[in-house]
Every structure is written in C-alpha cells, then in structure tokens.
Amino acid sequence: MRLDHQRTYSDDEIADVVVVGTGAGGAPLLASLAAHGLRVVALEAGDNTEPRDHTPDEMLAAQQINWMDDRLSGGADATAFGPNNSGRGVGGSMLHWGAFAPRPDARDLRLRGESGVGRDWPIAHAELTRWIEQVERFVGISGPERYPWDPSRRYEMPPVARNASSTAMLRGAEALGITATDGPVAVATRDRDQEHWGLRHACVNAGTCHQGCRTGAKVTMDTSYLPLAVARGAEIRAGAMVVDIETDARGRVSAVVYRRDGELRRQRTAALVLAAGGVETPRLLLHTGLANGSGQVGRNFLAHGATQVWGRYDEDMRAYRGYPSSIITEDLLRPSDADFAGGYLIQSLGVQPQTLATTLARGGGLRGAELMRWMRDYRHLAGVGINAECLPGDDNRLTLSDEIAADGLPRVRVDFSAGENEKRLRAHAIRTMVALVEAAGARETIVLDRTAHTIGTARMGSDPGDSVVDAEGRSWEVPNLWICDNSVFPSALAANPALTIMALSLRTADALRRSAGR
Amino acid sequence: MARSVVERIATIAPARWMLLGHSMGGKIATVVAARTLRGETPLFGLAGVVLVASSPPSPEPMDEGRRLAMQGWAGAGAVSELHARSFVLADLADSDAADHDALPRPELDRATDDVHRANPEAWRAWLDRGSQEDWSVAVSGSDFKSPLPVPALILAGAADGDLDADAQRRLTAPHFAHAEVREIADAAHLIPIEQPAALAAEVRRFWRERAGLGPTVPSDFGRVLASARTTSRTRAALAARALADDPDYAPTVLDTEQLGRLRLLADHLVPQPGPAIDLAARVDAQLATGVGDGWRPADAPSDPEAYRRGLDALADWARIPDADARGEALDRLGDGDLEAWLEDAAVDLARQWLAHPATMALIGFDGVATGGDTGRQSGFAELRADRAESWEPLPDPAVSSPGVQPPGITNGASRSTTEAEA
Ligand SMILES: Cc1cc2nc3c(=O)[nH]c(=O)nc-3n(C[C@H](O)[C@H](O)[C@H](O)COP(=O)(O)OP(=O)(O)OC[C@H]3O[C@@H](n4cnc5c(N)ncnc54)[C@H](O)[C@@H]3O)c2cc1C
Ligand code: SF4
C-alpha cells in the first residue's frame, strides 16, 4: 500500500497510541483511533507490499508473507507454524488468509454455560454481532442470498464462483441430508471501490488466496483498514520489530523499543496496543514480564481442529482453480449424536500442490510411492475440511525457550496435544466427511490431520485472577496496555477467527478511545 | 539486436533450448539470457549458453589503432574486398600464410564476402558503440553480484589475441554462476569456420553432460509460462528452477557423503518418474539460505544440524545394496526423532520436486499462470470438472486416470480428442 504520503511521527514525540502489528487485530483499531483524531503509530515487523507484488508461486510466496523464523513445537500434536498459520508484513496474516468469513455461533460464546467445559465469553453475542456487521459493511462480504442457519442475515455481494470441489461437496451433502450452501467469503465478487485505497477488482477465480491476492478482491488489511488509517493521520512503520517495552515508575508503559534497519530505536507513547498475533504477543509479554500477574500469559493455547478428507474422483477436478473453499455447512455445530462439547464447520477445499504434498506427508504420514501416487492424481482430487472447537488443556501452552532467535528474543515453544474432547470431535468429523466425500462419488479417500490458528494465549475474562485482559482488551495490571488479536479469545469458537478478531479490534478501539476521553 | 533475437526464438518456441553466440553474437546471447532469466522476455526453456570467442558484456578489449582503421574501412560505403580479406585473415590462427591451409578456400571466400556485404552502418555501429557498450551491470549486477544461474560453456580460440581463454575467464566467466571455459586448439577468433567439428563436439558434450540433464518442461506448458498470463517474477523463478542441476554440485550445509545419502533417501521418499531432478542438492542449497519453514520439533536441533544428524544415522542404512531392501529397512526404522526428521525431509524434498515446472506440467497444474504483470488478472473462467480453457496446456495422458475424458470444449475454442491424444 502507499505509505509515501503518510504523516510521520518522530521517536521522541509521545504518540497517543502505539500499535504493534497490522493484521486483523491491529488494522481496524488503528483506523478507528486515527479517525477519532488520536495520534497513532503502528510498528510492523514485516515489509510493505502491493497486491501486485504477490506471486502464485508457493515457494516465493511463503518467503515473502509468512513468519519463517523457527518456532519450537512440542506435544503429541505439534502445531505447524510458518505458512500454516503465521503471517508477517503490513497487513499481517490477512495477506495470506483464506477469507472464509463465517460469524461465530451464539452457542459457542456460552460453551461453558451450555456444557460445563471451555469458557464463556464476557461479551454478549448480540453486541459482538453489531461490531461484526460494521466490519462486514466496511470490507464487503459475499455470500448466499439466504443463509440457512440465520435467514435474517444479508450479504452485500453474490457468492464466489463454485469450482469442482464446491459441486462435489454440495452433491455429497445433499446425499447425506446435510444442508450446505455458498459460504460467507471476504472476497469482492464485483468490482468494489474501497475508500482511500481504490478499485478492488472482482475475484477472477485465480485460486491463490493463500499466496496473496493480486487483484485486491480478497479482503486484506492493506487494501481496507490500513489505507483508511493512513488517510486519517496514522503512521505505519514497516520493517519495525518491537523487542522491548519500557515502563515508568508507576508501572505504566512509556515507550517501546524496536529494531529497524539494524538499529535499535525507542518510540515514546501514552498507550500501547499489542496486536502481534497469538504467538508474538505472549512472547513479548513473557519476555518483558508485563501483565502476567494471573500467570495466564501463554496458557490456554488453542488450535482449531482442521482435519481434512480428500477424495480421488474419476473426473478431472483440478480444484486449484477458483476460490478454494466456497461451500459451508453449519449443520455440525451441535450434532445430535455428539459425544463431545461444541462442534465444527465443514468447508469445501481446493489446494495448491506444495501445500497438499506437505499435508499428505505431515497429516497423512505418506511418503515414497504412496505420496507420489496421490500427487500424480492431483488433478482428480477434491476435499472437505473442518474448523472445530478446541478446549483448553493444562499442558497446551506457550513458553519461552533458552534459545535466542535472530531477532534477539528467546524462541517460543508451543506445546499442543489434542484432549479427549478434540479426539471425539475429530472421530465424528472424520465419519461425517468420509461419508460425504464417498457420497459425492470419490473412488478413494484419505484423512489428513491438521490444526490451524493460534488462539487464546492472553485471554480476556471478567476475573483478573484467571485472565490477562478485561472484556474490552485492557490489561488488568498495566492500565495503558491493551491487547487486540487472536490471543484474547477466551475460547476457540468453531467459526474461523479473523472476522471476530476484526470486530473485537473495533470494539477495543472504542473502549480505548473513550478511556482517553476522545 | 537482442530484441530481434528474442522475437525469433519466440516464434519457434522450442521446449528446451540453448543460446549460442559467436563474437558480437556472444554479447547479445548473454544479454538475451540475462533478460530471459529475469523473466523479462516472452521466452521459456533456456537451458544453456554457449559463447564462442565471445565479446564480453563489458567493452571489448580492442587495439585503438585497429578500431579506428576498421571504422575507416566502412567510412564511405561497404568494406572493400581487400579489407574484408585482411580482416578475416587477422582473425584466423596462423594468419601469415596467404594460402591458409587450415581453412579451405571456399570458406575463406565466403567469410570475406560476408564482411564485404555487411551493412556499413551496422559495421560502424558495432565498432563505435556495440563493442564499447557496458552491459555488465545489466547482466549480473555490480561486481558480478548476481551471476546468471544458467550453465555456460565459454569457448576461446587458443590463438585469439584479445579474447583468449585467460581474457574470457576474467571478462566473461564471472557473469555466470556455472561457467566452463575451454580452449579450442588451432583456432583464433573464427572458431566456427576454423574448427567446426571441434565446436560441434563441444556443444554436444555440453548438452549431454550438463545443460540438457533433468526433465524437460513440455513446450505447451512452457508457452503458457512464457505468455502474459504469467508474471515476470514467477517466470524468472520457474526459469531458474528449470535449469539442469550441476552434476558436480558441491554441498554447502552437508558434506559429500551426507549429500550422497540424501540422494539415496530422496529416491525412496520422493521417487521421481523419468529424468530426475537432484532434489538433495536443491534441499542443501535451500538449507544454506537459512530460510526454513517457520518451525521445528521442540527437541530437534536447527534444520541444518537435524539433516546432518539424520543422515549420519542413516550411514549403515545407505550401505544396504538392494533398493527394495533399503526401502523396507526405511519403513522399519521406527525411532521417534529420526522418524520426525524423515517427515521433514519428505516434505522438503517433495516441495522441491513440485517447485520444478516440469513437475507442475506432469501433475497438470497450471495455476501459476493466472495473470500477468499488468492489467486485469486472467484467473480462471472455467471451473467445472472435466473442462479446460483453450489456453491451458494439455494434460499428460499418462497421468490421467483411465476412463477420464480429455477436457471438453469451452470458450469457443475447439480442442478435438485427436489433438488431446496426439
Ligand atoms: C493460511 C491461513 C489461512 C487462513 N484462513 C483463514 C480464513 O479463511 N478465515 C479466517 O477467519 N481466518 C483465517 N486465518 C487466520 C487469520 O489470518 C488470523 O486469525 C488473523 O490474521 C490473526 O490476526 P492477528 O491480528 O491475531 O495476527 P496477524 O494477522 O498475524 O498479525 C500480527 C502482525 O504482527 C506483526 N508482529 C508480530 N510480532 C511483532 C513485533 N514484535 N513487532 C512488530 N510487529 C510484529 C506480524 O508481522 C504480523 O503482521 C488463516 C490463517 C492462515 C495462516
Ligand atoms: S481466488 Fe479471488 S480472492 Fe482468491 S486470490 Fe484469486 S482473485 Fe483473489
């Protein structure tokens, strides 16, 4: 995005707010604060890009827009980082997100009240929905005319084009009596003028959303909230990696220390928002020892179950064409025969070859002749995958290792093992998906295990004793420190997270602004 | 000049080709290669460059007096036959002998006639400007910072005055990451007419042992990569990956034995059909960049160290002579750390395999060609099963499962079954 004409602040000026990270959590808040006249500076570790800088080539794309510095992954179901869940750049993980944008289900926000496990959200569903609608209006979402699980809902644009994997999922679902339809997708299906950025071209079905969208069709922060923020006077400093947080005698944040062009600098500020994502935010907090009186920083690490089932069809599916995950079903959010709490969404799947091979090897244990057989049948594959609830576990947490990474901070270690609830849910989901894919006409199926997203490591709550921030995202201990990204989620929710993160971002901005008297 | 060469190649559009340039043509070939490898030409499939008594990308070393004299020859029209003859003779080894026995009379006459017929403006332009232009930075950056990755064979006549093997090593070779400088005996500057057989043998050997190794990207797939549907950056990356691996690759992160074991392991983890890509060497090169995949198992060492340890642990395994027995032994290893690393290795090797455009063609993936540098992106208009758009390369029939029909006809473009089977 254009940053050459932006307003700039000097390190010695005391910014009203410094925001660390420009992804789903940082960008809407930055725009909202700037629009209300606050003097805001965003520090972003990654580079600034234009949509046309992206390439469909998986290998180049991974190096350009992902967080590729090693994280250490432990536990029985070690999480894959890098291209699997971590972005880096002006726009954060939204540069490579899949743009699947379901709203969270009301029952998921009250999971504990309903089932006695997990956590309830300290926010009412109706209020969250109002913020979500505000995000949807600003960025533009496409979806079906009538949403079966919420008939009152309206989407601005018609659904994305269905590909061969979409029609296969619809066929299978119909045979099983499962309701499935075009999903809510954060992709412009018509040319759309985006205020302060320009014309976002309608989706051309390139299928490379995870490599970065070159048309501007996909909602990203660098084509929506960030240009708005800059137009309202915010500064975005790209290539600025925050490595330390300074506090004054009263324990309030006074400045952040960041590295840019190899040089350590200090930006003074009256308030700090951490929006560095579910891994880097707790890493900074653990490293500085801030805001962790509850001992909850790094705990409650949650990863959505994201198991996939692929089918081999006689037809030439070539499901890499088109938006990859256009079909949704919410029928399995509370299956009647469930022996677990919570539920899951199913989406249709197309995939790029390197991503598929990686998942076949890691999630399917394939190698050698079998790996080659599936890859040579690439044209004939189409899949479905879930996004599933995940409950906190005592051993599932993020800690700092003894090893120092290139950025000078200790490397994180994330331990994750699926608990009993995740295992039962997964078994149910596999049964459903295999039946669906077979009913769609696949000759052969394969189950690929995977988890997605980095959630819950600085959770919000109403009890300072067992949460890191309050319901508005403000630290219980450091009154001018706020957190606004995937780490504040009290529970995972079955819905994919980004839409909710953006909504919380606007909500936290509103609270911060009011606390600052604006 | 470079542009007309590019246009000519584009109309022929061979699947895999080498550029050969003599003298001034070598300078042009080098510039065309550089542009092609940067993805800036509508060409794909460049496999090698052969430079014969080539003028270097930098100003050609040339005696100033001789340069002025030669300019003068074409001052008032065509170069006279006398001057032409003396020019040719000066470029031959052993040029004192008037009845030069290394060069048969007809060849000598033809070479003389070629010079005599040369457009005098072009003759002067080369001497005034072309030979003096400095393309070094355009070819390989300042101080040869980014040498061209294409294999290059640089041939110098043993008796070439200004452009002998030493001069080529100094002036031309540093522009290439993999250059082989060879001397042609009994030749000076006009190697193609002085030693045609030796030249042909060198080119053939270079193709067979170096530039032509590994899989070929089929021409219809290459045509799509060369087209405006592919961005120049993507084309550049794919062009580099399509180049043959160096059979003498010297590993950076691994030692030679470890590399050998990784090659053996690659045959089991990612067994390739047809001519093989040296996946092991590519993984070593990737490890050397220090860019990993963003994570590693908590108790594992850094990627390079994990590879070294894993491959050392496979020393005994690698000595099993029989491939089938090796494969079975690999499946029985069963040790936790080693298993986890094998999974990493399988992923890294498979990604390298799939990153090669010949593999993309093999599995029928043309999703890298979804839009060019400018204008609206093209994407896909046809998303249905068993349908393809007219621009799409044909699938390899060997890959398609039995019973699958070739893509149907869409977008008004006809594609008959016989074509698909051809
Ligand atoms: C492949 C993929 C597909 C996805 N698909 C979907 C989908 O379809 N639907 C959905 O809802 N979600 C999806 N997601 C998830 C979604 O992208 C994330 O949940 C969301 O972007 C998280 O927002 P965040 O603000 O928490 O972090 P991010 O968006 O990751 O932003 C964090 C930013 O902070 C920067 N940063 C970190 N540390 C520092 C530091 N110390 N100093 C300066 N800057 C720093 C990072 O560079 C990054 O830009 C997907 C994610 C991936 C990886
Ligand atoms: S499928 Fe649509 S949204 Fe996705 S990258 Fe292509 S044009 Fe962008």
Side-chain angles (χ1 to χ4, degrees), chain B residues 80-416:
Chain B
S80 72
E81 274 189 53
L82 202 65
H83 282 143
R85 169 71 57 129
S86 91
F87 173 76
V88 171
L89 288 178
D91 277 347
L92 296 176
D94 193 12
S95 61
D96 302 338
D99 53 348
H100 193 277
D101 52 347
L103 199 62
R105 194 81 200 184
E107 262 86 48
L108 185 62
D109 288 347
R110 205 172 56 227
T112 306
D113 194 42
D114 279 349
V115 174
H116 172 58
R117 285 186 303 126
N119 177 330
E121 272 173 49
W123 174 270
R124 284 197 312 271
W126 168 250
L127 292 165
D128 288 351
R129 296 198 308 275
S131 67
Q132 300 306 302
E133 281 173 11
D134 193 347
W135 286 80
S136 320
V137 175
V139 167
S140 65
S142 48
D143 301 324
F144 311 115
K145 202 167 54 218
S146 341
L148 303 179
V150 65
L153 172 64
I154 298 171
L155 300 175
D160 198 336
D162 292 325
L163 293 170
D164 62 4
D166 267 354
Q168 293 294 6
R169 263 182 215 108
R170 242 178 326 110
L171 299 172
T172 309
H175 289 285
F176 296 89
H178 308 280
E180 191 187 339
V181 179
R182 312 261 287 197
E183 202 171 73
I184 302 286
D186 299 323
H189 193 67
L190 298 182
I191 298 170
I193 49 176
E194 290 178 279
Q195 298 296 342
L199 171 59
E202 281 291 348
V203 174
R204 233 178 280 123
R205 180 196 56 80
F206 178 61
W207 175 259
R208 203 175 47 236
E209 294 175 8
R210 184 67 181 86
L213 296 176
T216 297
V217 179
S219 57
D220 57 354
F221 197 79
R223 208 171 300 129
V224 171
L225 299 182
S227 78
R229 294 192 63 95
T230 306
T231 70
S232 36
R233 180 162 167 242
T234 308
R235 179 158 50 244
L238 296 176
R241 291 181 208 148
L243 296 171
D245 296 297
D246 182 357
D248 301 319
Y249 177 79
T252 316
V253 167
L254 306 176
D255 65 28
T256 318
E257 276 184 36
Q258 289 162 340
L259 179 69
R261 276 177 227 141
L262 186 56
R263 286 193 175 125
L264 208 54
L265 190 61
D267 290 343
H268 290 280
L269 297 180
V270 183
Q272 299 173 62
I277 306 158
D278 191 351
L279 302 176
R282 292 181 182 216
V283 166
D284 177 79
Q286 177 206 319
L287 291 170
T289 66
V291 181
D293 58 359
W295 70 285
R296 62 178 212 252
D299 301 314
S302 68
D303 284 350
E305 190 50 33
Y307 266 85
R308 288 186 208 112
R309 282 192 207 170
L311 290 164
D312 286 347
L314 290 180
D316 286 340
W317 169 83
R319 277 191 281 271
I320 304 175
D322 176 61
D324 289 342
R326 256 195 328 266
E328 283 165 27
L330 196 63
D331 291 339
R332 283 194 312 265
L333 284 178
D335 149 17
D337 284 352
L338 197 56
E339 268 304 314
W341 170 73
L342 279 175
E343 184 183 301
D344 276 356
V347 168
D348 291 344
L349 292 162
R351 291 182 84 98
Q352 291 295 342
W353 177 60
L354 289 161
H356 195 295
T359 312
M360 295 178 185
L362 179 79
I363 65 168
F365 170 70
D366 56 17
V368 281
T370 48
D373 291 327
T374 54
R376 291 224 171 220
Q377 299 294 286
S378 33
F380 287 100
E382 176 57 80
L383 305 180
R384 288 171 295 179
D386 285 341
R387 303 291 183 109
E389 293 171 44
S390 55
W391 63 269
E392 295 192 79
L394 297 168
D396 178 349
V399 180
S400 301
S401 296
V404 175
Q405 296 304 307
I409 296 162
T410 56
N411 277 5
S414 66
R415 180 188 276 178
S416 69

Side-chain angles (χ1 to χ4, degrees), chain A residues 187 202-210 212-218 322-324:
Chain A
V187 162
C203 174
V204 295
N205 315 313
T208 54
C209 309
H210 293 124
C213 177
R214 286 174 54 80
T215 69
K218 187 181 82 171
Y323 173 78

